[in-house]
Amino acid sequence: MTEQQRYAKVPDGMEIKKPDPEQNPQPKPLKVKDFTLDPGLPIIQYPHYVNNAKTELSCLLVRPDGMATQEQKIPKDENHPLYRDIRNQFTEEEILTNTAREVQIQTSRNKAMEEAKTQADREELRAKLWEVKSEFMDMDVVKNSNAKGLKRSLRKSSTYFEALAYGCAILIKENETSE
C-alpha cells in the first residue's frame, strides 16, 4: 500500500513562512591573559569588586606553603602593587564575572538566612502556642469542665492569644458555676 499525500491549498495572497531555526548564541569564553609567575609569590585567586563604585577589590592569596588569606580593601590604583599584579593576571571582564558571581552568592546567602529566620520564628510561635494549650489542658479545672465547646475551641486555636483567651474563658465559666 502506498501512502497518499494530501496538500492543503493556501488562499490567494497568503504565503506560509517557515520558522527560522532557533539560534542559541554560545557565550563567549573569557580571554585568559598570558603572564608569568614567580613561584615564591602567593597565587592570586578570585579577584572581585567589593563596592558598587568598583574602587576596591578583594581576592584570595594562596601562599606557596598552601596557607590562604583573604585580602580586602585593595584600592583600584595602578600604584598599588597587589592591584598591579591582579591587572597583570586577570582581565576586567574576569573581575566583573567574579563580582557578579559574588553578588549572586551573597543574594542567595541572604535569602537562605531570611528563610531560616522565618522558619525559626514560626517554630518559636508554635512552641509558645503548644505550651499555653498544654498548660490549660493539664489543669484539673479544665479537664473536668463541662464546657465542651470552649475546650474544643482551645484545642483548635491557632494563635497564642486565642488559646489564652479560650483558656481564661473556661476558667471564668468554671468559676461562675462553682459559686
Side-chain angles (χ1 to χ4, degrees):
M1 283 191 105
T2 61
E3 219 177 275
Q4 289 183 345
Q5 292 184 351
R6 295 184 181 189
Y7 296 97
K9 185 176 179 186
V10 178
D12 292 335
M14 297 196 77
E15 62 182 69
I16 298 176
K17 294 181 182 177
K18 291 186 179 181
D20 294 334
E22 289 187 30
Q23 294 182 9
N24 293 331
Q26 297 295 325
K28 294 190 306 183
L30 294 174
K31 294 180 181 177
V32 179
K33 285 185 165 185
D34 288 330
F35 57 89
T36 58
L37 285 178
D38 181 358
L41 293 177
I43 297 172
I44 299 171
Q45 292 183 340
Y46 194 58
H48 59 278
Y49 291 108
V50 293
N51 60 5
N52 289 334
K54 296 182 173 78
T55 57
E56 289 183 350
L57 290 99
S58 177
C59 69
L60 291 176
L61 295 179
V62 182
R63 294 192 324 219
D65 65 357
M67 182 74 166
T69 59
Q70 184 173 10
E71 192 70 30
Q72 296 187 1
K73 297 192 177 190
I74 305 166
K76 186 177 179 179
D77 179 14
E78 292 294 334
N79 296 327
H80 193 277
L82 187 52
Y83 179 72
R84 270 197 317 256
D85 289 345
I86 290 172
R87 292 301 295 163
N88 287 335
Q89 296 178 31
F90 297 92
T91 63
E92 182 70 17
E93 197 172 50
E94 287 175 300
I95 296 171
L96 291 174
T97 300
N98 289 343
T99 303
R101 183 174 182 273
E102 185 67 22
V103 168
Q104 186 177 12
I105 288 170
Q106 289 296 329
T107 303
S108 296
R109 186 177 294 146
N110 290 344
K111 184 178 178 183
M113 293 290 282
E114 187 176 303
E115 287 175 4
K117 185 181 182 315
T118 302
Q119 182 71 17
D121 291 346
R122 187 179 310 124
E123 288 301 318
E124 184 181 344
L125 288 174
R126 290 185 70 185
K128 283 182 178 179
L129 176 62
W130 174 253
E131 184 181 334
V132 74
K133 282 182 182 182
S134 62
E135 191 68 36
F136 277 116
M137 295 305 279
D138 288 343
M139 291 180 180
D140 290 332
V141 175
V142 176
K143 281 182 187 176
N144 301 328
S145 173
N146 292 328
K148 294 184 189 262
L150 287 174
K151 285 170 52 173
R152 186 177 313 114
S153 296
L154 173 63
R155 283 192 295 275
K156 288 184 175 183
S157 59
S158 58
T159 65
Y160 175 84
F161 291 110
E162 186 180 8
L164 191 62
Y166 283 121
C168 290
I170 294 170
L171 294 177
I172 291 170
K173 185 162 184 104
E174 288 302 314
N175 191 27
E176 288 175 353
T177 58
S178 68
E179 289 180 352

